[in-house]
Amino acid sequence: MTDSSIHDPLTIRRLYGRQQGHSLRPKQAELVEMLLPQLEITTEEPVSATDLFGDNRPLEFEIGFGKGEHLAGQAMMRPDHGFIGCEPFLDGVVGLLTHIDNNQLKNIRLHRGDALDILEQLPDGSLDRAYLLHPDPWPKARHAKRRFMNHGPIGLIARKLKKGGEFRFGTDHPIYCSWAMMIMGQRPDFEWLAETPRDFLQRPQDWPQTRYEKKAREKGHEVWYFRYRRL
Ligand SMILES: C[S@@+](CC[C@H](N)C(=O)[O-])C[C@H]1O[C@@H](n2cnc3c(N)ncnc32)[C@H](O)[C@@H]1O
């Protein structure tokens, strides 16, 4: 690893995977038609806390929120924070809209697309937290550059986090887990917040379970939880 590779430009400029699933039920179609336009962020507009929420509140950001249970859970725990979620998969967007609607959440905005596009638009040093939970593993070595956990994307997250801000990462995939530990271990701008050797085996209380995590547990997989502080 050379010092310059830590400052790699973004290596994943293409979204891989499904973006459209099965057809929507009437209530879901209504959420997409009525609620989504009120909350959706596009790549055309500024995305500071003031632009999105009308004040200078702390911001948190989730990459690939899946069906949105973690993002909605965090937003319920901290109603005075603003949350931005990015997910290209329409079924996932509908999942998050359903949580927002059921719980009348006012502090979430979302982007239907690549998290990198919105991260790039955020003011530097503007995030209190960033979450990357159960990213697509891309287990084959020849696909390693497609993993979100690479120096380009992680460098971008580092730039957008405040000093002292937190980056959370979770996975049940052993190859991804050791890859992530290697990447994060090479970074001078993050400190791993593990307090005991067993720390990363236990989900912190303020870390709502994601859908993928639940499925992983049901299959008997171990799940690993990482918290890093931006230095
Ligand atoms: C394995 S799923 C995990 C979903 C969720 N985080 C969970 O734990 O249940 C990974 C998700 O990341 C999304 N994703 C992949 N690349 C992305 C990117 N560049 N920006 C935003 N989302 C992305 C995928 O669409 C998919 O829904």
Side-chain angles (χ1 to χ4, degrees), residues 67-179:
K67 294 277 178 108
E69 48 290 300
H70 173 271
L71 189 60
Q74 292 288 1
M76 277 186 256
M77 281 189 264
R78 283 184 299 291
D80 53 331
H81 285 205
F83 291 79
I84 302 173
C86 300
E87 171 57 63
F89 193 30
L90 183 61
D91 278 3
V93 168
V94 169
L96 179 60
L97 291 173
T98 304
H99 289 296
I100 293 173
D101 187 48
N102 288 345
N103 298 290
Q104 289 300 299
L105 299 175
K106 304 290 179 216
N107 56 340
I108 299 181
R109 301 291 181 270
L110 60 102
H111 174 61
R112 183 152 49 120
D114 193 334
L116 293 172
D117 292 338
I118 300 300
L119 270 173
E120 281 178 325
Q121 276 173 249
L122 283 166
D124 287 355
S126 63
L127 292 179
D128 270 44
R129 280 193 188 175
Y131 305 97
L132 176 65
L133 306 178
H134 300 268
D136 296 322
W138 297 109
K140 292 184 181 150
R142 68 189 156 90
H143 289 150
K145 283 281 178 199
R146 294 184 184 182
R147 295 175 190 153
F148 203 95
M149 183 64 83
N150 266 300
H151 286 298
I154 298 302
L156 185 59
I157 290 174
R159 217 168 80 214
K160 302 303 169 177
L161 277 170
K162 289 178 184 157
K163 292 238 157 69
E166 195 171 313
F167 170 50
R168 291 187 174 189
F169 160 69
T171 188
D172 67 312
H173 200 286
I175 293 175
Y176 208 104
C177 183
S178 36
W179 172 268

Side-chain angles (χ1 to χ4, degrees), residues 1-228:
M1 166 66 44
T2 61
D3 186 48
S4 64
S5 59
I6 287 192
H7 305 290
D8 264 353
L10 295 175
T11 47
I12 44 169
R13 290 281 38 167
R14 231 193 91 193
L15 271 172
Y16 300 91
R18 291 192 309 158
Q19 293 186 40
Q20 185 83 42
H22 40 72
S23 55
L24 301 178
R25 292 196 291 273
K27 175 65 186 172
Q28 294 176 324
E30 185 191 316
L31 289 174
V32 171
E33 204 179 314
M34 308 297 291
L35 186 55
L36 180 59
Q38 298 171 39
L39 306 179
E40 189 167 24
I41 313 172
T42 68
T43 52
E44 312 302 319
E45 55 200 304
V47 288
S48 70
T50 311
D51 296 314
L52 299 179
F53 298 101
D55 54 33
N56 198 20
R57 67 183 65 195
L59 278 184
E60 306 191 23
F61 190 96
E62 183 163 345
I63 299 143
F65 56 72
K67 294 277 178 108
E69 48 290 300
H70 173 271
L71 189 60
Q74 292 288 1
M76 277 186 256
M77 281 189 264
R78 283 184 299 291
D80 53 331
H81 285 205
F83 291 79
I84 302 173
C86 300
E87 171 57 63
F89 193 30
L90 183 61
D91 278 3
V93 168
V94 169
L96 179 60
L97 291 173
T98 304
H99 289 296
I100 293 173
D101 187 48
N102 288 345
N103 298 290
Q104 289 300 299
L105 299 175
K106 304 290 179 216
N107 56 340
I108 299 181
R109 301 291 181 270
L110 60 102
H111 174 61
R112 183 152 49 120
D114 193 334
L116 293 172
D117 292 338
I118 300 300
L119 270 173
E120 281 178 325
Q121 276 173 249
L122 283 166
D124 287 355
S126 63
L127 292 179
D128 270 44
R129 280 193 188 175
Y131 305 97
L132 176 65
L133 306 178
H134 300 268
D136 296 322
W138 297 109
K140 292 184 181 150
R142 68 189 156 90
H143 289 150
K145 283 281 178 199
R146 294 184 184 182
R147 295 175 190 153
F148 203 95
M149 183 64 83
N150 266 300
H151 286 298
I154 298 302
L156 185 59
I157 290 174
R159 217 168 80 214
K160 302 303 169 177
L161 277 170
K162 289 178 184 157
K163 292 238 157 69
E166 195 171 313
F167 170 50
R168 291 187 174 189
F169 160 69
T171 188
D172 67 312
H173 200 286
I175 293 175
Y176 208 104
C177 183
S178 36
W179 172 268
M181 288 177 81
M182 176 193 77
I183 295 281
M184 292 307 294
Q186 289 165 345
R187 298 213 59 98
D189 42 9
F190 282 102
E191 169 192 27
W192 188 10
L193 290 173
E195 282 163 13
T196 69
R198 292 187 57 75
D199 203 307
F200 74 142
L201 296 172
Q202 283 155 6
R203 175 152 44 82
Q205 281 189 342
D206 65 342
W207 184 317
Q209 189 177 51
T210 77
R211 196 173 139 87
Y212 263 78
E213 181 188 344
K214 185 163 181 286
K215 283 203 233 167
R217 291 264 178 226
E218 284 164 5
K219 286 187 229 161
H221 294 184
E222 192 66 78
V223 179
W224 298 287
Y225 310 89
F226 293 89
R227 295 167 54 229
Y228 295 93

